[in-house]
């Protein structure tokens, strides 16, 4: 919900809508954070309390180690939670799974056009 552009601020979005991503999954967030070099823990059965939809797609909590024990950031380029959220939202659309889904959906839309011939009332 923090990164979802379909949510409002009241529904839990924490970053600007123009930088947010459409329906990010917890595994996508985990992949992006692990690639950035964070220690990542994915809790599959956790849910965001304000999320009314109980689908598997909306499940999962990603926990990352932002700071070391002495209080210094683990990665100097990500000093705050918000910087990590903005990085994740910027990087998720570039994932291979996202780019392949986009290409596949365009083809299926083109194939499905014009399938409603002959439907409706006949003219007399």
């Amino acid at each position: 919900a923090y990164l979802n552009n379909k949510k409002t601020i009241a529904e839990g979005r924490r970053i600007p809508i123009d930088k947010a991503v459409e329906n990010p999954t917890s595994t996508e967030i985990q992949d992006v954070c692990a690639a950035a070099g964070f220690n990542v823990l994915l809790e599959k059965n956790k849910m965001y309390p304000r999320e009314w939809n109980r689908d598997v797609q909306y499940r999962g909590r990603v926990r990352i180690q932002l700071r070391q024990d002495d209080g210094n950031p683990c990665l100097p380029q990500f000093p705050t939670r918000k910087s990590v959220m903005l990085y994740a939202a910027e990087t998720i659309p570039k994932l291979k799974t996202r780019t392949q889904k986009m290409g596949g959906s365009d083809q299926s839309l083109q194939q499905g056009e014009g399938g409603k011939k002959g439907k409706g009332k006949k003219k007399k």
Side-chain angles (χ1 to χ4, degrees), residues 41-58:
L41 176 67
L42 177 63
E43 298 171 343
K44 290 232 178 233
N45 290 326
K46 296 290 185 178
M47 284 196 63
Y48 187 61
R50 283 192 246 170
E51 180 61 54
W52 57 270
N53 195 340
R54 300 288 179 205
D55 286 345
V56 175
Q57 173 187 350
Y58 296 102

Side-chain angles (χ1 to χ4, degrees), residues 4 13 29 36 41 46 50 77-79 97:
N4 195 344
R13 183 172 41 82
I29 297 168
L41 176 67
K46 296 290 185 178
R50 283 192 246 170
Q77 67 265 33
F78 301 112
T97 55

Side-chain angles (χ1 to χ4, degrees), residues 28-118:
E28 289 174 337
I29 297 168
Q30 177 195 20
D31 293 343
V32 166
C33 292
F38 283 108
N39 292 333
V40 183
L41 176 67
L42 177 63
E43 298 171 343
K44 290 232 178 233
N45 290 326
K46 296 290 185 178
M47 284 196 63
Y48 187 61
R50 283 192 246 170
E51 180 61 54
W52 57 270
N53 195 340
R54 300 288 179 205
D55 286 345
V56 175
Q57 173 187 350
Y58 296 102
R59 289 181 190 234
R61 174 170 65 185
V62 178
R63 298 182 75 176
I64 63 169
Q65 183 180 359
L66 192 61
R67 300 192 182 279
Q68 297 169 348
D69 292 336
D70 60 356
N72 294 327
C74 289
L75 299 174
Q77 67 265 33
F78 301 112
T80 62
R81 281 189 234 165
K82 190 161 188 172
S83 65
V84 175
M85 285 189 255
L86 290 171
Y87 170 77
E90 179 182 309
T91 313
I92 286 174
K94 299 174 188 172
L95 289 173
K96 285 184 179 178
T97 55
R98 287 280 175 135
T99 54
Q100 289 172 354
K101 282 182 186 175
M102 292 303 226
S105 65
D106 289 345
Q107 293 170 356
S108 64
L109 286 175
Q110 291 171 358
Q111 291 172 354
E113 289 178 6
K116 291 191 173 184
K117 289 184 179 178

